[in-house]
Amino acid sequence: MKNALLLVDIQNDFCPGGALPVPEGDRIVPAINRLMHTQLFQKVAATKDWHPPGHISFASRYGKEVYTTTDTPYGPQILWPDHCIQGTWGAEFHPALESGLIRQVVYKGIDPEIDSYSTFFDNARLQQTGLHAYLQDAGVTELYLAGLATDYCVLFSSLDALELGYRVTVIEDCCRGVDVRPGDCQMALAKIVAAGGRVTSSQEFFNSRKEERQ
Ligand code: VGL
Ligand code: ZN
C-alpha cells in the first residue's frame, strides 16, 4: 500500500499577513517540514489555490461585503477577499515550507466562473484537478492531509478522497481553519470521521511509525 502526504494550500495569502489569513496558518509549517523529512511518505503532493483576477469567489467582483454569499449556477458561494491570484506573492507557498521536497503541485480554482475547495474536483463537479490521476498513476491508496483551511479545502478534499476510495487521515496539528462560524473546524473533523476518515496528530504519527520499526 503506497501512501502520500497531501499539503493543501499552504500559501502566503492563507497565513498571517496574507489576504485571507487563517489564524496561526503559518504555525503548521515546522511540523509539516518534519513530516516531509521522515521519508515515510512515498509521495508528497501539494495544492495551490490559483485564481485569475475577478474570480467568482471574490467579494470585490460584486462590490459586496466579504463573507456574505452569492448565488451561482452551482449553488451558493461564500465571497472571500481577493486571494491567491495567479503569479502573485500571495499565491506562493509560505517561504518556510521546504517546497523542494514536494514532488507534484496541483492547481485549483483556475476557472474564473467556478470555485474549487476540493483538491480533486471543482465545486460544480465538472472538472478534475488532475490530483486523482496523479495519485492513481503513482499507485497511492492512502492519503495523509495537512494544510489550510481545515473547514474548507481540507474538509472537501478529505470527503472527496474518501468517496474516491482512499484511506484518509487528517493530521490535526498540521491544519488550521477559518472558523467563519465558531466550531466549523471541529465540525469539519467530525464530518471527516463520520465519512470514514481518521484524525491523528503528527506526534501520534511519528510514535506509531517508531513502534512499527521496533
Ligand atoms: C480556501 C477559501 C477560499 C481554502 C480557498 O484553501 O481552504 N478557502 N479559497
Ligand atoms: Zn480560493
Side-chain angles (χ1 to χ4, degrees), residues 12-214:
N12 287 321
D13 270 343
F14 294 126
C15 293
L20 206 178
V22 176
E24 300 186 343
D26 54 335
R27 298 266 293 268
I28 65 176
V29 174
I32 289 175
N33 286 336
R34 280 199 293 280
L35 284 171
M36 289 197 282
H37 277 292
T38 60
Q39 304 195 327
L40 291 168
F41 301 98
Q42 272 85 47
K43 290 281 186 276
V44 179
T47 60
K48 280 189 169 182
D49 209 32
W50 194 249
H51 299 310
H55 190 251
I56 193 165
S57 72
F58 294 173
S60 62
R61 166 165 156 162
Y62 315 86
K64 284 181 123 179
E65 294 281 314
V66 297
Y67 306 126
T68 58
T69 58
T70 192
D71 283 321
T72 73
Y74 55 86
Q77 166 74 52
I78 303 181
L79 297 175
W80 305 104
D82 291 19
H83 65 278
C84 295
I85 295 177
Q86 297 169 3
T88 64
W89 170 85
E92 286 172 21
F93 288 127
H94 186 279
L97 183 70
E98 291 185 51
S99 52
L101 300 170
I102 295 167
R103 295 281 292 278
Q104 180 80 7
V105 180
V106 173
Y107 297 86
K108 67 184 184 61
I110 299 169
D111 188 321
E113 302 304 323
I114 308 178
D115 205 4
S116 186
Y117 293 146
S118 163
T119 54
F120 290 96
F121 302 99
D122 63 47
N123 290 7
R125 291 211 151 228
L126 292 174
Q127 303 265 358
Q128 291 214 17
T129 58
L131 178 62
H132 184 45
Y134 167 75
L135 295 171
Q136 278 189 308
D137 284 349
V140 169
T141 54
E142 179 170 32
L143 286 180
Y144 288 85
L145 281 87
L148 309 169
T150 314
D151 39 353
Y152 289 92
C153 291
V154 174
L155 168 63
F156 290 102
S157 301
S158 300
L159 296 179
D160 281 348
L162 287 163
E163 206 175 305
L164 290 166
Y166 295 95
R167 270 172 63 97
V168 170
T169 304
V170 174
I171 306 174
E172 186 176 2
D173 58 307
C174 292
C175 299
R176 289 291 187 282
V178 194
D179 263 345
V180 172
R181 285 162 310 209
D184 278 356
C185 289
Q186 279 312 314
M187 181 98 76
L189 295 175
K191 281 183 186 162
I192 292 165
V193 169
R198 293 187 307 164
V199 176
T200 191
S201 68
S202 56
Q203 196 54 54
E204 252 178 89
F205 177 78
F206 290 130
N207 291 345
S208 65
R209 292 299 156 138
K210 230 181 280 160
E211 280 158 24
E212 271 173 36
R213 275 182 274 123
Q214 276 163 3

